[in-house]
Amino acid sequence: MNLIDDWPKTTEAAKEIQNQLRDRVILQDQFSAPKLIGGADVGFEENGAIARAAVVVLSFPGLERLEFAIARIPTPFPYVPGFLSFREVPVILQAFDQLQQKPDLILCDGQGYAHPRRFGLACHLGLLLNLPTIGVAKSHLIGTHEPLDLAKGSWQPLIDREETIGAIVRSRHNCRPLYVSSGHRVSLPTAIELVLNCTPRYRLPETTRWADAIASQRGAFKNTEPGKVSP
């Protein structure tokens, strides 16, 4: 997929697209039990000029890493809170196209429905791929919640304008929470359950934890080249 030529260049154009597409987002479960589950994340090179995406595929529920793919493109949109998908989706799509095994569902390192216009990264990517997606953000963007218990598995609804838009979820005991929301074709209760099933040891789901390490070129992935896959 190559959307760069027609990709919006301004926040006004991007906001219009968000407002046009948000009503197409499906907030109910529309998928079978996943056997392959994916994670997507984007890092940046050359002071932000180059976007580098990693999409990783794991078995589910075993969470064995099966494959990953990488893509690099000139960064197509500036960093503006609330418009992350316009900066990251094009390069994620290029990485996704390289996969030999397509995931049944994708966890995104970013917001989904928990977004000022209810159209975060996970919603945008899910619609373009017509795949179930979940937003798993590391930081708060919008909404309020009640105090959260310290135990793993605790969660509270995330509320904005009297609407439940997501959940704040404790994925590890006494650790900073995650902000989970539906992306596309996944209900919020199922999104919470899947995120917790993907966090057996660490704060981040295994899907996005691996994708983050690859996209950011950390550890064993420091010099990984685009297009390489792991056995």
Side-chain angles (χ1 to χ4, degrees):
M1 299 180 187
N2 188 353
L3 306 179
I4 298 301
D5 292 341
D6 297 323
W7 206 243
K9 305 300 182 185
T10 67
T11 56
E12 290 78 10
K15 185 182 294 186
E16 183 177 351
I17 289 173
Q18 290 175 332
N19 290 331
Q20 288 175 350
L21 295 182
R22 65 185 176 189
D23 289 339
R24 301 185 191 179
V25 172
I26 297 170
L27 302 178
Q28 294 81 39
D29 294 332
Q30 288 193 1
F31 63 95
S32 302
K35 296 181 179 178
L36 299 177
I37 193 163
D41 196 15
V42 177
F44 294 90
E45 304 171 3
E46 299 181 18
N47 294 318
I50 300 297
R52 171 187 166 109
V55 180
V56 63
V57 180
L58 280 67
S59 65
F60 188 81
L63 301 178
E64 176 188 359
R65 182 162 54 90
L66 304 175
E67 180 184 354
F68 68 83
I70 297 168
R72 295 170 74 253
I73 64 170
T75 303
F77 200 86
Y79 174 74
V80 182
F83 296 94
L84 183 67
S85 69
F86 295 93
R87 185 171 170 85
E88 298 191 358
V89 160
V91 70
I92 292 175
L93 292 175
Q94 290 198 15
F96 182 88
D97 277 352
Q98 297 176 32
L99 292 173
Q100 299 172 20
Q101 303 175 86
K102 305 297 187 187
D104 302 310
L105 182 146
I106 299 177
L107 276 65
C108 303
D109 187 358
Q111 307 287 350
Y113 193 72
H115 182 274
R117 287 168 294 282
R118 309 299 189 256
F119 197 74
L121 169 65
C123 301
H124 203 162
L125 184 66
L127 273 179
L128 290 177
L129 290 175
N130 191 26
L131 275 179
T133 52
I134 299 171
V136 188
K138 297 188 288 290
S139 59
H140 175 264
L141 177 63
I142 189 173
T144 60
H145 59 86
E146 295 296 324
L148 185 64
D149 190 83
L150 294 178
K152 175 176 178 174
S154 300
W155 66 275
Q156 289 287 347
L158 197 59
I159 308 295
D160 181 56
R161 288 173 281 175
E162 301 183 350
E163 181 184 14
T164 297
I165 58 172
I168 179 170
V169 180
R170 192 83 68 187
S171 58
R172 189 179 179 193
H173 180 75
N174 198 22
C175 190
R176 286 179 298 134
L178 300 173
Y179 296 84
V180 176
S181 58
S182 302
H184 183 51
R185 293 173 51 192
V186 182
S187 68
L188 180 58
T190 299
I192 296 168
E193 179 182 2
L194 285 169
V195 168
L196 289 173
N197 286 340
C198 289
T199 51
R201 296 179 57 193
Y202 301 100
R203 176 187 177 228
L204 295 181
E206 289 297 287
T207 45
T208 47
R209 189 174 75 87
W210 280 113
D212 175 68
I214 297 167
S216 302
Q217 301 191 78
R218 290 202 308 272
F221 303 103
K222 187 164 182 62
N223 297 310
T224 308
E225 292 298 323
K228 292 290 181 69
V229 298
S230 73

